[in-house]
Each structure stands twice: as structure tokens, then as C-alpha cells.
Amino acid sequence: MDESFKKNEDKMKLLVSEMNQKLLSVMPSKKAVDKLHEKGKLSARERIDLLLDKDSQTIEIGAFVGDGMYAEHGGCPAGGVVVVVGKVSEKQCVVVANDATVKAGAWFPITGKKNLRAQEIAMENRLPIIYLVDSAGVYLPMQDEIFPDKEHFGRIFRNNAIMSSMGIPQIAAVMGSCVAGGAYLPIMSDESLIVKKTGTIFLAGSYLVKAAIGEDVDNETLGGSKTHCEISGVTDYECENDTECLNKIRDLVDKFGSFDLAGFDRKKAAAPKEKEKELYGIFTSASNKPHNVKDIIARLVDGSKFEEYKEGFGKTIVCGYARIDGWAVGIISNQRGIIKTTKGEMQFGGVIYSDSADKASRFIMNCNQKKIPLVFLQDVTGFMVGSRSEQGGIIKDGAKLVNAVANSVVPKFTIVIGNSFGAGNYAMCGKAYDPRLIVAWPTAQIAVMGGEQAAKVLLQIQVATMKAKGEEIDKTKEDKVFAEIKARYEAQTSPYYAAARLWVDAIIDPLDTRKWISQGIEAANHSPITKQFSVGVIQT
């Protein structure tokens, strides 16, 4: 192993260790969990652990949601809700559990966004969804940012109705508070359960009822399990405790019938022939250092076998067919380093040129023709600029690639392994282009452009503004301003900044990449393709 491999490996191990430490920080404290236990309740994560099949693979969506946000309100770890895709009674499901240790499970703006993402995953993949409800409702100090808009709280119930019409099973278990607008969730689900003494459902609690109509009534009479299982008929099953409730859900899911599959090809899985752990040393996050993405692919795909498409053409994007955990996939990846073309020209890796855009567009069309899911490995600084590229039609070729990505009907999965800058983010299937899952390695950076370039542009603007106000700017002050701007900008390119806002579904250990892709395709296989691939009007 050379020195650069060891340096890369050490850096990646450090980043993964930092990620795991950060994950621990979003877990509720023992004191908070003990308080729930005193009330006869389990924590959100304990409930999920009991619900899911033992030893089955799971993926958690949005563990870092809310990171660094809402400090003035005490923070909102994991967005106050835990979302996991895993198997219940051997059937892959989406599970959504309110975390009552975060402001009694109240909904912050980012909580709403995360819940909508969970429903989106269920709808796109036609997966059953299970809600473990324990929430005080909308977080009132921020109600204007969660209540009235299209992608706010009300969209949850609209999605309940849409999923019902799609035939997607929904189960709601009321294991704590379920108040105000949230009270519609159980009755809009196919079946609902409620736990004795801890579960309550009502449009308005006892204090609000007293204030509104002068009626004196306790919460249990107003909306407890006896009321809703014996009088109102809102809930279908009454459970003694959390454990019984979760076992009942497992029994219900066990009876679900099977659904039509999309038919993506899968054979017996094989581990990569090359050592997966070498991903740590091969990949370098330094944008000025080269690496060969084919070495990375060889450590992600079954048997390290990769059939490359148009190997000698458009070399800054690598395309080809492989299998991941047995699933057939089409891989599209940016290449890093200086690349020499057959014409003797030099191209910068990580940059999309006209030829590489054309190649990737054609490959996407082929995969749609053959019903092969697409995997994008993003490490892109953008499209090539300059007079030669403009005159060569880079905008036209870039538009063709974006068109192909946007209109693709096979499921897409995006792994941001390095840079994700500018229009390159779009062309390589960024969040705006509906990947079924999009995750980032700890080395990812997502922004309009790199920190150095952006800081230089912003510095020019700020210096001009300061001079217009009559301020004297010497080299020392200019360097200081530049450093401040660069630090501020680079903080926003961090994968944690992206994950906090759900621009990516998760930050993952590179060694978990195969698992995420496999779980994603397994989920997508529940949803048959009903649309024909067409790129519409496109210039060739």
C-alpha cells in the first residue's frame, strides 16, 4: 500500500468514526427513556426494534434530520421522528415512529418534511406503512411554518387518502397522544390500534374543550381506548401495552397478500472479489487528487465484475452493467483525474463534457429499454465551460442528459461519494430528480460550486460593497474576510448540512453502500413500472 492509500484510509476511518459518534448524539438520553418507562411506554426506537423481524436488514431514513437546526427551541434531534425501512413478518415496510422524548413528539417544520419523505418512499415503492403515533401535534411556536402550505402538516392526510386509493396498506397504532389534526391519521389508515391508559385520540384536549365549550371532562373519557374501541368506533383494536400492540401489528401484517412485482432481475448474490474495506484507501476527498472510479466500482459489485459501456468514449463518465447483491444494475459514475482522449486531448475528471453527457444519456435509455435500475455515483464538479465547450454545444448535450435522467422510468439510486456541484448535481440525479433513495458518504460536498471558487466570487462582492461604504481594505483584511466567507460557505457544503434538511436520506459508511442499494431495489421491485420511457422533445 502506498502512502496516499494509508492517508486516505486514515481520513475515511476518522470521518466514519465521527459519523458514528454523531449518530449517538441523536439518541434519547437514558433519563428521557426512563421517564417513558415510568409511564408504561417504550421509546420510539425500542418500539421499532420489537416490531421488526430479528436479524433482518434495515435502513434508517433521516437520522441526521434537524442537525444544527432550531437551537433557540432546544433542537430537534432526528426531526423528532424515527423512520426505518425494514421487514415486519417477512414483508418490507416503512415504519414511522414519533419520538416522545423530543418536545413530546411535537411536529417541527422539518418533522413534517421527514414524515412526507417517509410517505413518498411508501408510495413510490408501494410499501405498507406503519405509524407508531405518540405526538403532541404541531409545535405551536412555529405553527406558521408547519400548518398551512402545500408541503406542510395537512399533506400527510392527503397522502393517507391517496395511498388508500392506491391499495397501499396503512396501519396506525396510537401509543401515546394523538391530537388535533393528527387525530385523523388513525381513521384514515386501514386499521388502527390503541394502547390502554397511554393512548388518547381527540381533536381537542380537556383544557381546550373547557375553554371552548365549558365542558369538564378528563382526557381518558374524551379520547381513551374505551371511548374509541367501545363507543366511537374510531379504533379497531385495544391493547394492554406497547408489546401487545406491536405483536398485534406483526400478526396483521402477516396476513397481507402478495402484490405484483416490477420484475427486476436478481440472481444469487456474490461478494466483490476485491476487498470492500479498500474503499477507505482508494477514495480521496481531495478534489485535486486523482483516483480511478473503476477501482471503487470493483469493490461494490458482485464478483467485481463490470461490463463497461463505450469504454473508449466520453471518459469523464463511466457507465456499465453489474450486479449488486444479486440485483442487475446500470452504473453511471464520474471519473476523477486528468484523462487523455483518443484524440490526444486532455479532459478534467469530475467534469462533464459533451461526449460523456451523450454517452450517459444513451446508457440511461438502454437501461430503461431493458428494465434495469440505475445507480449514480456522484463525484462531479459540473459541466465543462469555456468558448470551445459552448461552441461544441455543451448546453444541448447537458440538456439531453438531464432530460434522460428526468424521464427515466426505472428506479434510480444516488450515492454522493465526493463532490456534487452545480448542474452536475442535476445531471447525476440529485434530489430534484426523484431518486428512490439518495445517500452520501461522509466525504460528500453538495453546493452550487466548491468553497474556494464560491468564496472568491463572494469576496469580490463583499469587498466592492465595503469600498462603496468608504471602508479601507488592505490585503490582511481581505484575507480575513475571505477566510470567514470560505468557512461559512464550506459549512453549508457539509453532508450533515444536507442531511439535516433532507437533501439526502442518510449519511452512510461506504461499506454499507451495497446494503442501501440492495434494500432500495428490493423496495422498488414492489412497484411495477406502468409508464413508457420517453424523452419528449430532445435535440440530438
Side-chain angles (χ1 to χ4, degrees):
M1 294 182 187
D2 60 19
E3 193 63 30
S4 63
F5 182 99
K6 291 178 181 177
K7 284 183 178 178
N8 293 339
E9 185 179 46
D10 288 344
K11 183 171 183 181
M12 185 67 86
K13 283 182 176 179
L14 179 62
L15 289 172
V16 170
S17 176
E18 289 174 351
M19 179 191 75
N20 289 330
Q21 285 298 118
K22 207 169 179 67
L23 269 174
L24 291 175
S25 72
V26 306
M27 304 296 171
S29 67
K30 184 179 183 303
K31 183 179 179 182
V33 172
D34 286 344
K35 281 187 177 180
L36 291 178
H37 291 172
E38 288 169 10
K39 296 175 183 177
K41 300 200 295 185
L42 298 173
S43 71
R45 293 181 183 278
E46 287 173 331
R47 287 167 174 168
I48 290 174
D49 286 345
L50 276 176
L51 178 64
L52 295 177
D53 295 351
K54 303 302 178 194
D55 302 322
S56 66
Q57 283 196 333
T58 63
I59 54 176
E60 181 173 350
I61 306 297
F64 293 114
V65 161
D67 180 57
M69 300 169 70
Y70 313 122
E72 67 277 22
H73 297 279
C76 187
V81 63
V82 183
V83 176
V84 169
V85 180
K87 288 189 176 177
V88 177
S89 297
E90 299 184 2
K91 294 177 176 67
Q92 198 174 30
C93 300
V94 178
V95 183
V96 181
N98 299 113
D99 186 350
T101 68
V102 181
K103 292 285 192 297
W107 287 53
F108 283 70
I110 200 66
T111 314
K113 188 173 182 178
K114 185 170 176 179
N115 275 269
L116 288 172
R117 177 62 179 142
Q119 289 185 319
E120 181 181 42
I121 290 170
M123 287 190 284
E124 284 183 332
N125 300 294
R126 302 186 76 89
L127 291 180
I129 186 166
I130 299 166
Y131 308 96
L132 307 181
V133 185
D134 192 351
S135 171
V138 167
Y139 182 59
L140 290 178
M142 302 186 75
Q143 63 86 25
D144 61 319
E145 296 181 47
I146 181 63
F147 170 63
D149 209 348
K150 180 178 179 179
E151 299 295 335
H152 283 179
F153 192 72
R155 189 79 171 180
I156 301 290
F157 314 121
R158 175 265 187 193
N159 287 350
N160 289 143
I162 296 297
M163 281 191 279
S164 182
S165 72
M166 292 171 68
I168 297 171
Q170 299 175 82
I171 294 177
V174 181
M175 310 178 82
S177 297
C178 183
V179 302
Y184 288 105
L185 180 66
I187 203 62
M188 295 194 76
S189 297
D190 301 320
E191 293 183 287
S192 56
L193 306 86
I194 187 168
V195 178
K196 283 183 182 180
K197 297 181 182 178
T198 57
T200 53
I201 311 170
F202 35 64
L203 293 178
S206 55
Y207 292 122
L208 185 53
V209 167
K210 174 67 174 176
I213 63 172
E215 181 184 1
D216 282 309
V217 61
D218 62 86
N219 284 339
E220 186 63 28
T221 303
L222 192 62
S225 62
K226 185 177 179 66
T227 293
H228 288 309
C229 284
E230 299 179 19
I231 302 172
S232 74
V234 166
T235 50
D236 305 309
Y237 306 95
E238 187 179 33
C239 305
E240 285 292 331
N241 52 44
D242 281 10
T243 302
E244 182 183 305
C245 182
L246 296 166
N247 286 333
K248 176 69 75 174
I249 295 171
R250 290 182 54 81
D251 289 340
L252 293 172
V253 175
D254 179 61
K255 311 304 185 296
F256 287 177
S258 60
F259 295 88
D260 293 339
L261 299 177
F264 303 125
D265 188 66
R266 191 180 199 185
K267 287 187 165 52
K268 185 178 179 180
K273 188 177 179 182
E274 303 293 340
K275 295 177 181 176
E276 287 183 73
K277 288 185 177 180
E278 291 179 352
L279 285 171
Y280 283 11
I282 290 168
F283 182 80
T284 172
S285 57
S287 57
N288 61 341
K289 298 282 180 67
H291 61 246
N292 190 342
V293 77
K294 296 177 195 178
D295 292 333
I296 293 171
I297 292 170
R299 285 153 180 83
L300 292 177
V301 303
D302 291 12
S304 300
K305 189 177 180 182
F306 180 64
E307 286 102 31
E308 188 171 357
Y309 174 79
K310 290 184 181 287
E311 183 178 359
F313 180 75
K315 292 185 176 182
T316 66
I317 289 184
V318 172
C319 302
Y321 304 104
R323 289 188 182 274
I324 292 179
D325 198 31
W327 295 104
V329 295
I331 297 174
I332 301 167
S333 178
N334 305 108
Q335 182 63 286
R336 178 82 71 82
I338 306 298
I339 295 162
K340 190 174 183 178
T341 69
T342 51
K343 296 178 182 179
E345 298 169 341
M346 305 306 287
Q347 293 184 342
F348 296 96
V351 177
I352 301 175
Y353 288 77
S354 284
D355 55 357
S356 50
D358 178 75
K359 178 174 82 171
S361 301
R362 290 174 180 272
F363 183 71
I364 289 169
M365 294 175 193
N366 280 344
C367 287
N368 275 271
Q369 185 82 354
K370 300 170 184 176
K371 203 159 77 170
I372 299 173
L374 291 164
V375 174
F376 293 82
L377 301 179
Q378 276 197 15
D379 188 6
V380 58
T381 52
F383 285 89
M384 190 58 190
V385 297
S387 60
R388 185 171 181 177
S389 292
E390 299 293 0
Q391 291 167 14
I394 186 66
I395 295 175
K396 179 185 68 175
D397 291 316
K400 182 163 62 175
L401 176 54
V402 169
N403 194 317
V405 173
N407 284 297
S408 179
V409 296
V410 295
K412 299 166 290 194
F413 302 90
T414 302
I415 318 295
V416 186
I417 65 176
N419 298 323
S420 180
F421 295 157
N425 171 282
Y426 305 154
M428 292 295 292
C429 198
K431 184 66 183 283
Y433 289 79
D434 299 320
R436 295 294 177 95
L437 293 171
I438 176 169
V439 298
W441 286 4
T443 45
Q445 295 185 87
I446 303 172
V448 171
M449 62 181 74
E452 189 82 19
Q453 303 96 308
K456 287 176 181 176
V457 174
L458 293 169
L459 176 67
Q460 292 174 36
I461 296 169
Q462 189 158 330
V463 166
T465 302
M466 293 166 76
K467 285 181 177 178
K469 292 178 180 178
E471 293 184 43
E472 291 291 327
I473 307 294
D474 57 19
K475 183 68 167 61
T476 302
K477 189 166 186 178
E478 187 172 311
D479 288 345
K480 183 183 177 184
V481 172
F482 175 78
E484 290 171 353
I485 293 172
K486 187 169 182 284
R488 187 168 63 246
Y489 187 88
E490 287 184 342
Q492 294 179 0
T493 71
S494 157
Y496 295 100
Y497 192 90
R501 291 153 181 80
L502 262 179
W503 300 347
V504 295
D505 292 316
I507 302 171
I508 66 168
D509 185 330
L511 301 182
D512 286 333
T513 304
R514 279 170 54 86
K515 179 183 83 169
W516 273 81
I517 294 170
S518 177
Q519 289 291 293
I521 299 176
E522 183 176 346
N525 201 37
H526 291 88
S527 182
I529 297 171
T530 56
K531 292 194 296 185
Q532 201 71 23
F533 176 69
S534 171
V535 292
V537 178
I538 188 168
Q539 294 178 313
T540 56

